[in-house]
Amino acid sequence: MALENAVRNPYPISGERRQPQKILILCGSGNNGADGYTLSRKLRFDYDVSIIQFFLPKTHLCKIQAERAEKCGVRFVKREDLSFYDLRFADIIVDCVFGIGFHGELDEKTQGTMGDMNASECFKIACDIPSGLREDGTVSEGAFIADLTVTMGALKTCLYSDMAKDYVGTIKVGDLGVNRRLYENSNNSNLLKGMLLEESDLLLPHRNVFNVNKGSFGHVAIASGEKQGAAAIAGSAALRFGAGLVTLVHKYSTKKGLDMFPELMVSNEIPEKTSAIAFGMGLGVPKGKADYIQPYFDYILAHANIKCVVDADACYAPGLKSFLEKKEKGVVLTPHPKEFQTIIKNCDLGDFTLEDCIVNKLDFVESFCRKFPKKTLILKGANPIIAHFDGYKYKMFINPFGNPCLAKAGSGDVLSGMVAALLAQGRKPVDAAITASLAHALASRKIKCDFSMTPYDLMMALQEL
């Protein structure tokens, strides 16, 4: 049993600790609670096990397993009788209160008890999902905060919402004795339909051919505008990620300040042999110039071979919908949720709140990709989403390596530059999006201090991948 193995071989991410002795198992009234009662019987001879009854058994299976656990001599404790001793000396707490069917809010009493559990310094394991996590990925007040979630049979979509990331810890799939693909290929709406990316999916742009020159690795043009630093960051990231040449194009801004980056060329015009263009980062929209970004759309449409990255201010451009309809392929969009909200509205997919776009992001991502085939979307967040519809099959990938240190100005500019570099080197948009997103997240995990990272620290960390 996967849950039993997790208790017997704990601490997958927390380093050296003594072997556990005292186990608290929190049981609810349904089949998730039944799993907790079953677990208690299997552990009772090797550990000091206590069942904390949050609710009395209601389902047939839960009643049977509770009776068996009681007959085996497992200690039962009502949650109102939970002692300071139990919490103070517990080594592991296992949450088996609510499963995938949870809706609404945890009641005030449950919130209080869960708060005591969360305050404990012991290792915490959730069975299937942490109690309080709803099936739409939103989280109730007072939800259980796990170090490890053992989800049964197959991955659940709700475990990879942005809101869930602070509650699920490390996620492992528990084998139920049935082939996992049977679950994943079913029509169960709770199951994750996309592909979860792994470190092995990272295909770095290593150079394995010797008879080359800088032109062999493409020329990236970065549009520079109101906030020139954003373009410089993106340009430096493109160079760091393998582009042969990078030019900052100050079509509508002054050249002042851009000569601080001697490795980056500067021009008033998009270079003739440009392979990929990234625009929108710090570009700005001057007052009275709503068509400020349109010349970039027009240039790309006039040069069908050029691939592009659409980011930041370009996501708000009135001409984006028309551009996406006319540009057949070679486009990667890299919005954060607020920018994606505007894209959805301007592309006639609906006028939704930001919260709607976050909670229902998987549905909106698919709707966008199906409306604009052969365009690749990277929706940034705690678990970035990469999605693409080639006209026949829709594919969605989740990057589970998102890191809070990336929540800082400039991090998105680095990502845009990395994607542009891969496009310039001949990568397909989906492949470029996957590798850039993975490298971006994994490089951030090389940073030792989670609050002090700068965009240039992130670029330097790329060398450690």
Side-chain angles (χ1 to χ4, degrees):
M1 182 179 180
L3 202 56
E4 179 187 359
N5 290 337
V7 174
R8 293 186 181 278
N9 301 282
Y11 320 136
I13 59 170
S14 56
E16 290 294 329
R17 295 193 190 183
R18 66 183 179 85
Q19 280 299 303
Q21 300 297 323
K22 186 171 182 58
I23 315 294
L24 299 184
I25 303 175
L26 319 180
C27 288
S29 60
N31 292 342
N32 218 44
D35 288 337
Y37 288 114
T38 302
L39 176 67
S40 71
R41 290 191 290 107
K42 295 190 174 187
L43 298 175
R44 71 192 188 284
F45 291 124
D46 301 316
Y47 304 95
D48 177 3
V49 180
S50 296
I51 288 286
I52 311 301
Q53 287 189 305
F54 268 63
F55 306 100
L56 294 177
K58 288 185 179 179
T59 67
H60 178 67
L61 182 60
C62 190
K63 289 178 179 178
I64 290 174
Q65 296 302 336
E67 289 173 4
R68 291 174 178 174
E70 189 172 18
K71 288 177 180 179
C72 288
V74 177
R75 176 177 176 244
F76 280 49
V77 179
K78 293 182 179 180
R79 57 172 161 167
E80 54 266 27
D81 297 329
L82 186 65
S83 69
F84 173 77
Y85 170 82
D86 285 318
L87 280 176
R88 175 68 179 81
F89 293 100
D91 295 304
I92 294 178
I93 296 175
V94 185
D95 166 29
C96 300
V97 181
F98 293 110
I100 191 65
F102 175 77
H103 296 80
E105 296 286 341
L106 296 175
D107 63 75
E108 189 173 335
K109 185 177 179 182
T110 300
Q111 288 182 26
T113 310
M114 285 296 185
D116 293 337
M117 302 296 169
N118 290 336
S120 171
E121 295 182 358
C122 69
F123 194 76
K124 303 175 189 72
I125 300 172
C127 173
D128 203 27
I129 65 169
S131 291
L133 175 61
R134 306 183 187 97
E135 61 182 351
D136 65 358
T138 57
V139 182
S140 168
E141 183 81 19
F144 186 79
I145 301 174
D147 296 300
L148 170 68
T149 295
V150 180
T151 192
M152 300 306 172
L155 295 171
K156 313 299 189 300
T157 299
C158 65
L159 296 172
Y160 292 96
S161 74
D162 287 350
M163 294 77 74
K165 188 135 187 172
D166 287 318
Y167 294 85
V168 297
T170 300
I171 300 170
K172 289 187 176 181
V173 176
D175 184 6
L176 296 181
V178 179
N179 192 306
R180 179 172 163 182
R181 290 189 178 182
L182 293 178
Y183 287 98
E184 295 173 341
N185 293 332
S186 72
N187 294 321
N188 189 333
S189 61
N190 291 320
L191 301 184
L192 187 67
K193 298 301 181 183
M195 181 179 295
L196 193 66
L197 295 176
E198 300 177 355
E199 290 190 47
S200 58
D201 295 311
L202 179 66
L203 301 176
L204 295 171
H206 291 297
R207 300 181 173 187
N208 300 315
V209 178
F210 290 90
N211 186 25
V212 293
N213 58 65
K214 58 190 175 185
S216 305
F217 302 101
H219 192 157
V220 173
I222 307 288
S224 174
E226 181 182 357
K227 298 178 176 64
Q228 296 182 355
I233 289 171
S236 296
L239 206 60
R240 286 274 181 188
F241 216 49
L245 304 96
V246 178
T247 297
L248 304 181
V249 180
H250 60 102
K251 202 173 184 68
Y252 303 103
S253 65
T254 65
K255 185 177 177 180
K256 185 178 179 181
L258 293 177
D259 55 1
M260 293 176 61
F261 306 91
E263 71 276 18
L264 305 177
M265 297 180 287
V266 181
S267 174
N268 290 312
E269 301 295 335
I270 298 171
E272 183 179 346
K273 294 186 177 181
T274 294
S275 311
I277 297 175
F279 61 106
M281 305 80 68
L283 202 56
V285 181
K287 190 174 182 180
K289 292 187 177 181
D291 61 347
Y292 186 60
I293 297 171
Q294 189 61 41
Y296 290 99
F297 291 147
D298 294 340
Y299 186 93
I300 295 167
L301 290 173
H303 298 78
N305 61 315
I306 292 181
K307 300 173 184 177
C308 69
V309 178
V310 179
D311 187 26
D313 294 325
C315 296
Y316 298 98
L320 179 61
K321 177 175 178 285
S322 177
F323 170 73
L324 294 175
E325 290 171 341
K326 294 175 182 177
K327 177 68 173 171
E328 184 178 349
K329 57 184 179 180
V331 179
V332 179
L333 300 96
T334 60
H336 57 54
K338 177 63 176 175
E339 292 161 352
F340 187 52
Q341 177 195 18
T342 301
I343 290 174
I344 290 172
K345 181 179 179 180
N346 291 346
C347 290
D348 299 330
L349 288 167
D351 189 358
F352 300 96
T353 66
L354 179 58
E355 184 179 3
D356 287 336
C357 294
I358 293 172
V359 172
N360 302 301
K361 67 179 181 179
L362 298 186
D363 293 334
F364 289 138
V365 164
E366 183 171 357
S367 296
F368 173 84
C369 290
R370 289 188 180 278
K371 182 165 184 174
F372 300 103
K374 301 181 181 179
K375 313 303 183 293
T376 300
L377 178 69
I378 303 176
L379 180 56
K380 292 178 281 197
N383 290 309
I385 304 295
I386 299 101
H388 176 83
F389 176 58
D390 64 5
Y392 299 95
K393 187 175 182 180
Y394 172 70
K395 293 182 179 180
M396 187 268 288
F397 307 87
I398 295 178
N399 177 357
F401 302 106
N403 195 326
C405 71
L406 291 169
K408 186 172 288 190
S411 294
D413 304 324
V414 172
L415 177 63
S416 295
M418 292 168 64
V419 176
L422 294 176
L423 293 176
Q425 292 170 82
R427 293 281 184 95
K428 294 179 180 179
V430 176
D431 296 335
I434 288 172
T435 287
S437 180
L438 279 174
H440 188 252
L442 293 172
S444 75
R445 294 187 168 219
K446 303 289 185 181
I447 308 298
K448 293 181 179 179
C449 184
D450 59 4
F451 63 82
S452 70
M453 187 194 79
T454 69
Y456 289 94
D457 293 331
L458 183 58
M459 292 181 219
M460 291 298 292
L462 292 173
Q463 300 179 50
E464 299 181 39
L465 295 177

